[in-house]
Amino acid sequence: MKLIAAADKNWAIGKDGELLVRISEDMKNFSAMTTGNVIVMGRKTLESFPGGKPLPNRVNIVLTHKKDYNGKGAIVVHSEEELWEELSKYDTESIFVTGGESIYLSLIHISEPTRLD
């Protein structure tokens, strides 16, 4: 499992549900790395995507505590236990944790950070 994020020099990753900046090369890199793989995110991250829809050509998994959340075509789980059950179906090398902050904080203990320059 990999954590993927763009952070500024103070390790901020976003503000008010938006990325801090949109850098074309970073967006292309994110797309290249995650296409054909599994992305794990929170509800607010999914809602920040264009149209609030899952990203194409990826398995989109949303962890949320909102029991009635639809997810607009994403796989929705409501606990870390459900998440692990769902993730067990995939190769761990194909899984990318994509945010937001609460998802990173709850899952970071199981990932060993690798800096990609």
Side-chain angles (χ1 to χ4, degrees):
M1 183 178 325
K2 302 168 187 158
L3 183 147
I4 187 168
D8 73 3
K9 65 182 180 178
N10 297 313
W11 293 102
I13 60 172
K15 178 153 176 60
D16 300 327
E18 296 290 327
L19 296 174
L20 294 174
V21 294
R22 292 192 181 272
I23 301 170
S24 179
E25 199 61 35
D26 280 347
M27 302 300 271
K28 288 177 187 174
N29 186 44
F30 176 87
S31 181
M33 291 180 72
T34 61
T35 295
N37 291 300
V38 178
I39 56 175
V40 179
M41 70 202 85
R43 173 187 54 81
K44 292 177 187 175
T45 297
L46 176 62
E47 291 172 354
S48 75
F49 291 165
K53 296 179 182 175
L55 295 179
N57 304 314
R58 299 158 184 90
V59 175
N60 291 250
I61 302 175
V62 177
L63 174 60
T64 180
H65 295 295
K66 289 185 127 187
K67 295 291 184 190
D68 61 343
Y69 189 66
N70 177 314
K72 301 177 184 175
I75 297 167
V76 178
V77 296
H78 300 98
S79 68
E80 283 190 32
E81 293 78 23
E82 280 185 72
L83 177 62
W84 296 129
E85 185 177 322
E86 184 61 34
L87 291 178
S88 71
K89 300 174 185 176
Y90 306 97
D91 176 10
T92 58
E93 290 300 308
S94 72
I95 301 168
F96 290 84
V97 179
T98 62
E101 179 185 18
S102 63
I103 301 302
Y104 288 136
L105 291 173
S106 66
L107 300 180
I108 198 165
H109 66 277
I110 58 117
S111 298
E112 184 174 319
T114 301
R115 186 176 186 104
L116 302 175
D117 294 317

